Amino acid sequence: MKTKIIVLTTALLVSMLVAAHDPKEHAKESKAPDCQSLASMDHAKMDMDDPVMKAMFAKCKDAMSEYGDGHDKENHDMDMKDTASVKDGDHDGGHNDDHGHDDPH
Amino acid sequence: MQILKLLLMVSVIAVVSIFGFVYSGLYPIGADDSHTRVVYWALETLLERSVANASKDIVVPALDDPKLLLAGGPDYNEMCASCHLKPGKSESDLSLGLSPEPPNLTISDGDHGDDHDGPEQRFWVIKHGIKASGMPAWGLTHDDQRIWAMVAFIQKLPELTPFQYQILTARTSSNEEHSH
């Protein structure tokens, strides 16, 4: 019984440590993205195929609709329901095994 | 036979000298005193060879997905930028105070003197850390998906302006939904 209590307490403490690394914890300290500046820029001069631009517009999608931005939403809109390629199982998929290859020692 | 004896004697003297030096406490260990060239070379070579060997079988996923930048940016800003810097910043208390100096990841591969810059090597270093260097093993608390997102962001980092960096690294509630 004692062993079970120790194991359960340890598991609880470990789960609390993991929770401390939850990205939501950092959100409180983070500054909001400067989407107003992005909305006011000339989008015609931007390369909308650039992953950086796509990511910026995806980040600012909600905020820019508030600023009344009506620029080519089809280009900016990313299907965020689609799962990232690394999430699809063949690229680690959130597991901690590096495909079981990275640490042969 | 005499040569063998001589070699043995030289080896014993060398080993005793090395241990004697280690125990003497004469080597300056302060981080504000740079390593000698020989020590620096030995440590760098050890690091490069070890990382290259340990990461050689890692399969690199596609890293050009914008969603990876959105997930990796905030993590980089919170976990890495204080040592490895961000666009518009050329030094920090930590980048100046650590020895060896952490690589400046805002400049292109090769320009910051590191040869272990492949994505698989970066992934390995972020996940496992580097002993006695100040680089922690983030894999103990972060899954592979988050680490690959950081690698994807670091690949793009040298091209980012401070404005782009600010947007990509800001952590928002919608960002949380996308990164999980």
Side-chain angles (χ1 to χ4, degrees):
Chain A
M1 187 63 187
K2 259 187 176 178
T3 318
K4 278 185 182 173
I5 291 170
I6 291 168
V7 169
L8 283 171
T9 311
T10 312
L12 183 66
L13 285 172
V14 169
S15 68
M16 286 168 76
L17 282 174
V18 170
H21 292 273
D22 188 326
K24 283 175 186 164
E25 292 296 310
H26 299 293
K28 297 165 195 162
E29 306 151 19
S30 181
K31 282 184 185 172
D34 185 10
C35 297
Q36 198 160 11
S37 299
L38 184 65
S40 64
M41 292 169 100
D42 183 0
H43 299 179
K45 289 179 182 170
M46 296 177 180
D47 175 9
M48 293 305 172
D49 292 328
D50 179 10
V52 171
M53 282 299 158
K54 284 183 180 176
M56 287 170 72
F57 278 102
K59 173 71 75 85
C60 289
K61 195 172 69 172
D62 296 337
M64 284 174 73
S65 57
E66 283 173 30
Y67 300 133
D69 178 77
H71 292 274
D72 193 11
K73 289 207 174 199
E74 281 172 30
N75 275 342
H76 304 165
D77 195 18
M78 285 169 48
D79 181 10
M80 300 312 283
K81 286 174 190 166
D82 184 24
T83 322
S85 55
V86 288
K87 231 176 176 179
D88 286 342
D90 58 340
H91 295 304
D92 284 312
H95 302 296
N96 259 342
D97 60 7
D98 307 357
H99 308 275
H101 294 312
D102 76 322
D103 199 353
H105 309 296
Chain B
M1 191 64 187
Q2 219 165 6
I3 294 173
L4 202 68
K5 272 185 182 176
L6 188 69
L7 278 175
L8 189 69
M9 210 157 73
V10 169
S11 302
V12 169
I13 289 169
V15 169
V16 169
S17 302
I18 289 167
F19 274 90
F21 180 69
V22 169
Y23 274 94
S24 73
L26 289 174
Y27 189 79
I29 203 70
D32 55 353
D33 189 353
S34 298
H35 284 302
T36 61
R37 277 188 182 184
V38 175
V39 172
Y40 188 78
W41 170 84
L43 290 174
E44 273 293 297
T45 307
L46 180 70
L47 167 65
E48 282 164 19
R49 297 302 309 136
S50 177
V51 171
N53 182 53
S55 63
K56 65 180 186 292
D57 293 328
I58 294 178
V59 180
V60 181
L63 296 175
D64 52 358
D65 188 330
K67 289 189 279 293
L68 290 175
L69 300 179
L70 289 177
D75 275 349
Y76 177 86
N77 192 44
E78 287 146 13
M79 292 150 54
C80 317
S82 51
C83 293
H84 298 291
L85 306 173
K86 54 186 173 184
K89 205 167 179 193
S90 59
E91 59 184 35
S92 68
D93 287 352
L94 287 170
S95 77
L96 290 172
L98 283 168
S99 180
E101 190 180 330
N104 178 354
L105 298 181
T106 67
I107 53 181
S108 304
D109 287 4
D111 291 347
H112 49 67
D114 268 6
D115 292 331
H116 44 91
D117 284 341
E120 69 279 18
Q121 292 170 328
R122 280 188 171 147
F123 175 85
W124 192 93
V125 168
I126 294 170
K127 180 167 179 169
H128 298 281
I130 297 169
K131 288 185 176 84
S133 73
M135 178 68 197
W138 294 107
L140 298 175
T141 48
H142 295 70
D143 63 28
D144 287 357
Q145 187 194 336
R146 271 179 86 178
I147 295 174
W148 277 121
M150 275 190 275
V151 173
F153 183 80
I154 290 167
Q155 302 273 89
K156 286 284 175 193
L157 187 57
E159 303 165 20
L160 299 183
T161 64
F163 171 65
Q164 292 171 323
Y165 180 89
Q166 196 280 330
I167 290 181
L168 292 179
T169 58
R171 204 180 275 288
T172 61
S173 53
S174 60
N175 180 233
E176 294 317 316
E177 286 160 22
H178 303 326
S179 64
H180 293 287

